[in-house]
Structure formats: C-alpha cells, structure tokens
Amino acid sequence: MTAELPADRYLDRELAWLDFNNRVLDLARDSLRVPLLERAKFLAIFSNNLDEFFMVRVAGLKRRIEAGVAVPTVTGARPKELLSRILERTQHLVAEHSALFQNDVRPALRDAGIEILTWDQLTAAEKDDMRSLFSERIFPVLTPLAVDPSHPFPYISGLSINLAVLLRNPATRARQFARVKVPTNLSRFVRLNEGRYLPLEQVISRHLGQLFAGMEVLGHTTFRVTRNEDIEVEEDDAENLLYALEKELLRRKVGRPPVRLEVEGDIDDEMLATLLSELDVAENEVFRLPAPLDLTGLFALDASRREDLSYPGFLPITHPDLAEVESSSPADLFQALGRHDVLVQHPYDSFATSVQRFIEQAAADPSVLAIKQTLYRTSGDSPIVDALIEAAQAGKQVLAVVEIKARFDEQNNISWARQLEKAGVHVVYGMVGLKTHCKLSLVVREEAGGLRRYAHVGTGNYHPKTARMYEDMGLLTSNPVITDDVARLFNHLSGITQQTEYRRLLVAPHGIRAGLISRIEGEIRNHEAGLPARIRVKVNSIVDEAVIDALYRASQAGVPIDMWVRGICTIRPGVPGLSENIRVRSILGRFLEHSRIYWFENGGRPNVGIGSADLMHRNLDRRVEAIVGLANPQHIAQIDELFRLAFDGGTVRWELHDDKWSTLTTDDEGVPLLDLQEELIRLTRRRRQR
C-alpha cells in the first residue's frame, strides 16, 4: 500500500525553466570542455531562450494578474508572488550572464584575436570606413522620432535595439526626448576586418548630430523592450483559421504590452523615467546591463569561424541498414525497408540519406501513388516541401498537414502552406483546438503483391538544418500494423473520424497519458510479483502532475526510475518516502537533446517507444502527438545502451538533488568524465571506418 502523496511534491514550472537556462549558462562557463566560440554561442542561446520565456511565459503570467485571476499554481504560489520570484531569479541570472561575457568570454575572445570593440578602440582608418558606411548604408534607412506635443511617444517594437537620445534646442534651451531604432535588416555587429567587430548602435550613436541637425545632443543610451508575443486565436469562432492567424500576426506587431525593459547600466535618470512612464513598465521589470545589450548578437561571431575555437567538424553517416542502397534506385530503398525496420538517430545518422531521401525518392518513384506528411517546422529552402510539390505536380495524391500555429514560425508556415496549395497539394491546417505536433510521413506504393505502405514516425521536425543540430530519433518501417495506425491517424487529421484507439501507436490527446500511466501501473504490479520492473524516460520536459504522481507511486512501490530531462523538470527525486527510487539527470552539449523515449521493463520483455510527446499538459491535452512502439531487439538494445551511457557514473551530467541542480564534469581525481555526445560521435566515426 503506497503512502499519501505530500502537497509539496512538485517544483515550480517557471522556476524549473530558469534552472534549465542556468544549465545552458553552465556550458558557457565551462572553459575546460567547451571551445571559446561555442561558449559565446551558448551565451547567445541563453539570451534567446530568455527572450522567448518573457514573451510567452512571463507575458501569460502578467495577463493572468491583470485579469484578476489569482488561482495559485500547483506549488501554491499566487501569480504576483511567482512573478516576483521569477524577476528576482532572472535578475541574478542575467547579472551572471553579463559578468561572464564581460569578464571572461569577451577578454578571452580578444586574446584569441576576436574583438568586440567600442568606437574609441577603432583605428583612424576604421573610423573613416565607419563614417562612409554610415553615410552610404545606414543613414538612409534610419528614422529619428522626436517626442513633443505634436509627436507622441512612438511604438517600440519588441526585441528591437533602440537609442534613446536627449536633445536640447539651442534657441529655446528646451530639452527633448527622441528615439532611433537600430535597423534589424543590417548586421548587428559590423565586421571591420578579420576578427574585429563593432556594434551597429555604436556607429549610429557617433553620428547622431547628422540625424538631429541643429540640435544639441546631451546624451544617449541604448534600450530594448520585450513584449507579449504569444499568439491567441479563437479557433472555434474562426471560419478560416489561416485568415484569423494572419490577422493576429498583424495585431502582434502593433499592440502587445511590454513585459521587460533592458537598459544600459549608466542610463540617465531622466531618460529612464521617461521610458518607465511611456512604456508602463514597473521598476522590477527593468534590467540594467553593460553595453552591448542583446547578446543574441553573438551568433554573428560565426562569421569568424575558427576551427581552433569551435567544436571539431562532424559529418553524419548513412545508417548501415541504408548504406547498401544509398546510390541505387528508389525501388531499392523501399525493398530495404520491406526487409527490416530502420531506427535512425540524428545527427549521428544522416537525415539527408534517411528521412529526407525517403520522402524525395517517394516523390520521384512512379510506383508511389500517395504521400501524406505532417509539417510543424521546416527550413526556408526545404527539400521536403520541394519533394511534396514535385510529387503533386507528377500527379500523386499528396496531403500535407501544416501546423500554422507553430510558435514563432507562424508566418513561415503560412507561406509554405500557400506554396503547397498552389502546387496541388491537399493542405490541412490541423484540428480545431489542437496543434498537430506528431512527426509522421506515410507513403503508399503499388507493388507486385498489391498496395504497400511505408511510414516514418519520428521525434523531431522535418527540418534538414535542425537535424544537424538536434538529437532526434525516427523509425522507418513497412510494418503493416504501424502503417495502418499511421494511415488511420492521417485520416483522423484530414477528415472527420472518432478514431482514438491504435495498435502500435499511443496518440494524444486521448491516449498517451492514459497509456503511459497504465504502463507505469503495470511496472508496479510486476515488481510486486517479483518480475523485472524498471522505468526509463527521456524527455525535453516533465510537468504533467498525473504522470508525475504515477511515477511517485511506482517509486514508493520500489520500482527504479531513471528520468533523463533536458529542460523543465518539476518532479522531485530522492525525497524520503516519496521518490527515493527516482533519479533525474540532464545532459546538454553541442547538440540539443530532443528525442523522447519511453522504456518499461515489462517483466523482462521491454516495452519501448519513441515519439513527439513531452510530459507536459500542452502535449498530452492540446496537441496531436504520437509515440510508436519498437519491436526489433536490435533497436531496443540500441536504446538500452543509450540509457546505460547516460546514467553511467563516468558520464558528464547534471543531477537533481534536494531540489537543486549540480553539474559533474570530472571525477574525484579531477579526470574529465565521458561526454555522451562526443562518445556517440566517436562511435559514428568508428562505424564509418568499418
């Protein structure tokens, strides 16, 4: 009989996210394992993550406060209290982030020959070049905006860098505020020559006299506003979802309230007072930072790509099961999949010669009659989209389920949807009230024995660029049970069905939570019966209380549980009487760990699945997600080895103990531990040499 679960059994979701971003910052701190330019990139990733966190999560919390919704979170925190804790924690993190850049990474870059300069550090020749650049390329696109009785305070677009300028009229001695937006269509860091960069705002600030001719420039500073950028579309009331979303995107550009104000640390009191008043920002929402603001600009340092300061180059290889048909006809690819399933892990296994090739060859193969595809995010020059267009133009039946509500990719996905429609692709925009997040592809092919179906079920987007940076898994199969499940799910997405039960798939919103909890309860029964019992989970985030409670009960019953969580984690491991049998680890590195894997020991016959679903409310209740069960013993052994490496005591990891994360990179003797991703790269290279 399990004990009652305590009320304080969850960590706070938002604070857990900040813990995750601190782990990203740990990578920027790590001068022993992480090359210098990669450390700069992790500083940029930290900034980009924080921008999105404020635009969505903090904005949503503020909206609840302003609406008077005072319902506490599952941890008991009231919205105002939680917002205060978030802002306080963020102030500390941002200060550490800034200090790390200013006192460590920036000087190290300078010593390595990569300098982010100020105007006063330029040579005379460089200053002349910048004057010419300003006159020819920058001045023509600037729009200085003064604030006076006839010119109201301008709308400040979210995440733009702006110059606040204090002016004085020499004739009237009247002081006046003005704003200059730093253009977003020019490079944030101007490259002077090899390894020397100047922030664009420094060029503009040195030429303010030309923008405000006849006025005295008393002072200037930079500032940046973050706004609520979350999309809200009332789908039930929208006859045309595409039209409704386009209207909402337009509204996003002009009417979103601020949630954060970043300013230079030495900002003039008068300027700050003006900004606080005009933007309606509270003092605890102001972040004072040294220049330059917005360190997402550090991504631009890729222009100085230096092998000695970067991760060693890595080239994915063709999966061994596909290598024999790599340069053969399309028919041979399908014949290979007809013989056996193929489990790929990107970026170690090439996306281009597996998933992308699967879709491209289906488009080119005259025996293929139909292709069905989900698209959540894809690249600007997507070969996947090109292949679907080619297939439609060749007369094949092509269905694309395009999720145009994919956050921050809405405009791109609208563009791709229109292109696909023009080419004759049947485009479906998902289901009302749900995001289509599952990663599915289905090919229907005419063969000697009749029609045969082939499918891909994955954990990551059909995005060739991110497939080189994200760790993901996918199953390519012709198994008739799986392909029938996938076909039924596509019919559910494109038509009107009441399909909720599948044989080899778990599908949200109806089946994943219940299916996982049922399997957890099965492990409890097996353990009590003396059978092998164990649970292993790899996800981006775990927040769902029902699943967490089921895991707690399994732990109380004695079932060992290993949780591999990259991002948000609200489960509390190691709590006496509650979770002594739960271990939580996180692994971050050069690739973004993105696959979701679920392992249940099942009495010695492991039940293992991969899919698109994290353990979050949005995934289990508000998205169409799919998890596919694996059957091939070799694939299960591959997953087993992956978990073994991740939870080995000799592997670099972050561990959650006593509600705090700690990082382990060396053993007790100071010897570096094994980096999981680098080990998988080594194994991949070894496979190439065979």
Side-chain angles (χ1 to χ4, degrees), residues 364-402:
D365 185 352
S367 296
V368 169
L369 305 180
I371 304 173
K372 299 185 179 185
Q373 178 77 49
T374 61
L375 291 173
Y376 189 76
R377 300 187 197 275
T378 190
S379 58
D381 53 351
S382 171
I384 305 295
V385 172
D386 290 344
L388 296 178
I389 290 173
E390 176 190 340
Q393 291 173 338
K396 294 176 170 61
Q397 291 291 312
V398 182
L399 169 71
V401 182
V402 179

Side-chain angles (χ1 to χ4, degrees), residues 1-7 9 552-553 556 576-578:
M1 188 73 179
T2 55
E4 278 297 312
L5 300 179
R9 60 190 182 273
Y552 282 147
R553 291 189 176 94
Q556 289 175 328
L578 177 68

Side-chain angles (χ1 to χ4, degrees), residues 147 153-154 156 177 223 225 227 258 261 263 267-283 285-286:
V147 177
F153 193 87
I156 309 297
F177 179 90
F223 70 96
V225 173
R227 293 184 178 275
L261 173 63
V263 299
I267 186 172
D268 176 87
D269 289 342
E270 183 178 347
M271 284 185 180
L272 181 58
T274 299
L275 292 174
L276 289 175
S277 173
E278 296 291 349
L279 294 170
D280 192 24
V281 173
E283 288 191 12
E285 296 172 329
V286 177

